[in-house]
Amino acid sequence: QVELRRYEDTLVITDVEPLVAYVKSMIPRSTDQAGLSNYANVFNELNLLIKQNGFIRIQESTGMFIAKK
């Protein structure tokens, strides 16, 4: 018998700077600067979405399987 237990959650972001800083922190330092220049575009797009909607919603969906013999 296997049971799936889901945990649904939502993260609502109202400030783009912490989100972009988090994404940048995940990139290895060896990444060339050309790749990092795209983050200005990402920052601008996310900032525009926040200005239009007041927030960005990121849906989180996690869970676990419970198996019983």
Side-chain angles (χ1 to χ4, degrees):
Q1 175 185 0
V2 177
E3 176 187 353
L4 171 60
R5 291 192 186 172
R6 293 191 180 270
Y7 177 76
E8 302 289 335
D9 198 8
T10 301
L11 178 63
V12 177
I13 299 169
T14 57
D15 185 7
V16 71
E17 289 180 21
L19 176 59
V20 172
Y22 172 73
V23 171
K24 280 184 174 180
S25 75
M26 305 284 285
I27 298 171
R29 293 197 181 269
S30 62
T31 301
D32 63 275
Q33 292 300 314
L36 292 176
S37 67
N38 290 329
Y39 283 96
N41 295 333
V42 171
F43 179 88
N44 291 335
E45 288 294 320
L46 293 174
N47 209 26
L48 180 62
L49 286 172
I50 290 175
K51 285 182 180 179
Q52 290 173 342
N53 303 315
F55 61 89
I56 297 172
R57 183 178 313 229
I58 298 176
Q59 187 71 32
E60 299 176 67
S61 181
T62 58
M64 70 177 177
F65 290 100
I66 299 174
K68 296 179 184 175
K69 189 173 181 182

